[in-house]
Amino acid sequence: MRTVKELRLAGLFAYLAALVLALLFSLLVHFLLGGGGRLGWGGFNFYGLLEGLAFLLFFTFALYVAQRAVRVPCTTLLTAGLLGPLPAYRLAKPLPQVEAPEAYEGRGVALLVQEGRPIGLLGLSDHIRPLEEVPSVEAEAAVSELYPLFLREPLVLVVRGEEVLGAIFREAFYRLAP
């Protein structure tokens, strides 16, 4: 799972690459038209409008290709990495903790802890599910990277080291995630 920082950096590089490629393509069109295009402060003409249109079309195409290549959210790409996706810990809801399975009242999902360490989850099925079988992500992982996990699982645990910060449920993910 990629972090928010990695996605923002990938969005910046993809945006800059698309911009440079579009400028180079516009320069190529400028030279192919004989260098007579003017689109800017000094005035404009038909060749200048063609160069501007070539820039816009190629820039749009390059952004599309860049988004497919680096798989970043659209807002991150279009803002050149200024706006990144949410980190996973922002969507995580804390889970109630129980010391023994007998103390579980059967409402919702609870974290089973033993000697202060989490060992499993109660409430997902009719038995205790070991923590190793539940998908988990680091707290700084980008929420946009969690889509494949929610195709198979109803929740994803958010951890920082050995500490369980909470869980993101499928319904909340689809409702709140961008």
Side-chain angles (χ1 to χ4, degrees):
M1 296 287 147
R2 296 183 293 178
T3 65
V4 174
K5 185 178 180 180
E6 292 169 347
L7 284 176
R8 289 178 70 187
L9 197 58
L12 173 66
F13 287 146
Y15 183 88
L16 290 176
L19 182 65
V20 168
L21 287 174
L23 285 172
L24 289 174
F25 184 74
S26 178
L27 182 65
L28 176 68
V29 169
H30 177 75
F31 287 137
L32 288 176
L33 294 176
R38 289 190 316 271
L39 179 65
W41 302 106
F44 68 93
N45 61 6
F46 180 71
Y47 286 159
L49 291 176
L50 284 178
E51 291 171 15
L53 183 63
F55 171 80
L56 286 176
L57 290 176
F58 198 81
F59 184 60
T60 304
F61 175 72
L63 282 175
Y64 174 75
V65 170
Q67 183 186 21
R68 293 288 183 184
V70 296
R71 296 183 349 258
V72 295
C74 188
T75 54
T76 304
L77 180 65
L78 293 178
T79 61
L82 292 177
L83 295 177
L86 290 174
Y89 73 87
R90 298 274 306 268
L91 283 184
K93 300 294 180 208
L95 295 173
Q97 296 183 359
V98 293
E99 293 287 332
E102 298 82 31
Y104 176 63
E105 297 175 4
R107 285 181 272 149
V109 177
L111 188 64
L112 180 62
V113 294
Q114 186 177 41
E115 298 173 3
R117 291 188 54 226
I119 60 168
L121 281 180
L122 297 167
L124 286 180
S125 57
D126 53 349
H127 62 282
I128 299 171
R129 191 159 174 198
L131 220 52
E132 295 81 33
E133 293 180 10
V134 181
S136 62
V137 295
E138 283 295 321
E140 297 301 323
V143 169
S144 61
E145 298 286 303
L146 301 180
Y147 283 107
L149 295 176
F150 283 110
L151 294 175
R152 297 181 308 254
E153 298 291 335
L155 68 86
V156 173
L157 291 178
V158 179
V159 297
R160 183 174 284 138
E162 299 248 343
E163 176 189 7
V164 176
L165 299 177
I168 301 173
F169 293 89
R170 182 185 294 154
E171 296 81 25
F173 173 76
Y174 286 128
R175 187 177 59 243
L176 298 174

